[in-house]
Amino acid sequence: MIWKREYINNKLEGHHLFLILTSIFIVLTSVSYYTGILVLFSALVFYISFVVGKRLYSILELDSLLNETNLQISKSKNRHKINYLKHYIFGLTLMIIGLFFLVLDILWAGGVPLFDLTSKKFLSPFYTMLSRLLILGWAIVVASNLSLDKIRAIIYSLIFSSVVMLLGYRTSVVVLLMSTLFVLYYTNRIKNRELLLFASGIFILLLLLSIIKLKILGSGGIPLLSRMDLTMSVLDIIVHNFNGVFNGYLIYCAIYSYFGMAPGPRTVVANTLGIQGVTITPTIFGGVIGDYGILGIVPYFGILGIFMGFLYRIAESFKGIYLGVYAVMLSYLLVAIETGILDLDVILYYIFGFLLCVYILIKKYRLYFKVKNPIDILIKKE
């Protein structure tokens, strides 16, 4: 019975969710067997690498930074104390900046894209990118304020998601809600059952938004499923006809398109397929295969998995800004199964997460070299 209890208490982690969602995309769409196998293989590489990243955290003994014994041995100036108040203030600052640029973006467009689709094309990519700092800031605030109960956190999240929704991007709404749930989940404020319940609510919301969009556009098809099928069919085309053709151009466009120096990566995909005037998402797998070829799957998802697994263990232990950033990154990763990681702000979040990992490693080894022999220090004190 003990092993059963431990199994039940285990949390759903990023690699579980990534593999589950990837499998759903394969099963529910008409993707070819060959492409489906590639997608599943990519997800498995990520899954295994994620576990390796978690193990790496344990090997490096980073939990010792939070070990009370080690902190008492070290001098007070060398202690790694987490100032959650600073994290909280930083999160609030990001929220204010994001809200400011969201309002500025709407004024720039001359209308509210949620109610006026024509104004959406006039949104400033730069302002839109900065407006999403509201999402990151809110995740950090929830992760830093552990006294914030789940009910208030969810109510505030719904309010902020309504604000973000004004720009007309479903992805931003989904990421805000998902990242909030992940923060609440990994701080033990909600359990597995509640996570699944709230996730179902997000799915229903996404379904409603898809239905509304189809009605406005006058399109037919099954909401969500039609989009999934279209996206996977694009992946099929990339796998069979554009394997490694872009040579990194998609990621180049993801960065430089925000400065007006290149077209958007999804526009490039659409134009390559002979479609003009629209953008097409290639999935996270299509972006990798189109840029680096099928052989790029292993290093890409291998490195990504190790990184995400390592950051997950840091976030789980240190909470605060680490958990907030991880929750947003995980949310974007799951969404990227369909959209791809092809936005500058998302790429910057991953760079930020990497820098947080480096920071923790530096703190660990600064402490290690400062306190090489704790026993000698205790003897000297006596």
Side-chain angles (χ1 to χ4, degrees):
M1 292 299 294
I2 294 176
W3 69 268
K4 286 185 178 180
R5 193 177 300 113
E6 289 177 350
Y7 178 79
I8 292 172
N9 290 332
N10 281 343
K11 289 186 177 297
L12 284 170
E13 298 173 359
H15 55 318
H16 302 137
L17 297 171
F18 188 80
L19 183 59
I20 291 170
L21 283 181
T22 299
S23 301
I24 290 174
F25 267 79
I26 296 172
V27 172
L28 295 183
T29 60
S30 56
V31 66
S32 68
Y33 288 114
Y34 178 67
T35 302
I37 291 173
L38 283 179
V39 169
L40 185 59
F41 176 72
S42 302
L44 289 173
V45 171
F46 177 83
Y47 187 99
I48 295 170
S49 302
F50 191 98
V51 175
V52 172
K54 288 170 55 182
R55 179 59 182 161
L56 181 62
Y57 176 92
S58 301
I59 292 173
L60 295 175
E61 298 180 343
L62 295 181
D63 270 336
S64 62
L65 280 172
L66 299 174
N67 188 294
E68 288 298 322
T69 303
N70 287 344
L71 293 181
Q72 290 170 3
I73 290 172
S74 61
K75 296 180 181 179
S76 60
K77 65 179 180 180
N78 296 324
R79 295 181 184 178
H80 182 71
K81 291 185 177 180
I82 302 175
N83 190 335
Y84 289 119
L85 179 59
K86 287 185 177 179
H87 295 192
Y88 182 81
I89 294 173
F90 179 70
L92 281 179
T93 303
L94 291 182
M95 289 183 67
I96 293 171
I97 294 173
L99 186 59
F100 172 78
F101 279 100
L102 188 147
V103 174
L104 194 61
D105 205 13
I106 292 175
L107 293 175
W108 181 273
V112 180
L114 179 63
F115 308 113
D116 180 14
L117 288 179
T118 57
S119 65
K120 188 174 182 178
K121 62 182 179 180
F122 297 110
L123 290 172
S124 165
F126 186 70
Y127 292 164
T128 303
M129 178 182 72
L130 291 176
S131 71
R132 295 190 187 117
L133 289 176
L134 173 63
I135 300 172
L136 179 62
W138 173 239
I140 294 173
V141 165
V142 178
S144 304
N145 185 7
L146 300 180
S147 62
L148 182 66
D149 63 84
K150 62 184 177 184
I151 301 299
R152 285 191 297 162
I154 292 170
I155 291 174
Y156 291 151
S157 297
L158 291 174
I159 294 172
F160 293 136
S161 64
S162 300
V163 174
V164 171
M165 195 184 298
L166 295 176
L167 293 182
Y169 291 106
R170 292 173 298 176
T171 300
S172 299
V173 176
V174 172
V175 169
L176 189 148
L177 294 174
M178 285 176 60
S179 59
T180 303
L181 286 183
F182 288 140
V183 170
L184 294 176
Y185 182 60
Y186 292 124
T187 51
N188 298 314
R189 282 178 271 184
I190 61 174
K191 305 300 181 183
N192 283 349
R193 184 177 299 177
E194 293 171 302
L195 176 68
L196 295 175
L197 179 63
F198 289 128
S200 300
I202 294 176
F203 174 78
I204 293 172
L205 175 63
L206 185 59
L207 185 63
L208 289 174
L209 291 174
S210 298
I211 293 174
I212 292 172
K213 186 173 182 179
L214 287 176
K215 292 294 183 182
I216 293 175
L217 296 176
S219 303
I222 304 173
L224 287 184
L225 188 58
S226 298
R227 184 180 175 93
M228 289 168 59
D229 206 37
L230 172 63
T231 305
M232 294 300 279
S233 66
V234 171
L235 172 61
D236 243 341
I237 295 172
I238 291 175
V239 168
H240 290 97
N241 300 285
F242 300 99
N243 179 14
V245 167
F246 297 111
N247 291 314
Y249 187 60
L250 291 180
I251 195 68
Y252 172 87
C253 291
I255 297 172
Y256 287 96
S257 61
Y258 282 82
F259 304 101
M261 300 170 62
R266 297 177 182 88
T267 301
V268 172
V269 172
N271 293 344
T272 303
L273 299 179
I275 304 172
Q276 304 294 325
V278 297
T279 59
I280 295 180
T281 56
T283 76
I284 189 173
F285 313 103
V288 175
I289 294 172
D291 261 347
Y292 312 111
I294 292 175
L295 293 179
I297 286 175
V298 174
Y300 184 93
F301 288 101
I303 295 172
L304 181 62
I306 293 173
F307 168 45
M308 289 295 290
F310 187 69
L311 181 58
Y312 165 68
R313 289 291 286 112
I314 291 175
E316 186 183 42
S317 300
F318 292 82
K319 305 295 189 294
I321 190 173
Y322 308 97
L323 180 55
V325 173
Y326 173 77
V328 171
M329 288 171 55
L330 177 58
S331 300
Y332 271 116
L333 177 64
L334 298 179
V335 170
I337 293 175
E338 190 239 340
T339 63
I341 301 178
L342 296 172
D343 297 287
L344 178 58
D345 52 324
V346 179
I347 294 172
L348 291 176
Y349 295 157
Y350 278 81
I351 294 174
F352 188 25
F354 174 76
L355 293 177
L356 289 176
C357 292
V358 172
Y359 173 75
I360 289 295
L361 288 173
I362 291 174
K363 294 293 291 186
K364 161 68 179 178
Y365 287 101
R366 278 184 61 189
L367 179 62
Y368 174 78
F369 288 116
K370 284 282 185 181
V371 190
K372 287 186 178 180
N373 194 338
I375 297 177
D376 289 344
I377 293 176
L378 287 175
I379 292 174
K380 288 179 181 179
K381 285 185 177 181
E382 292 175 356

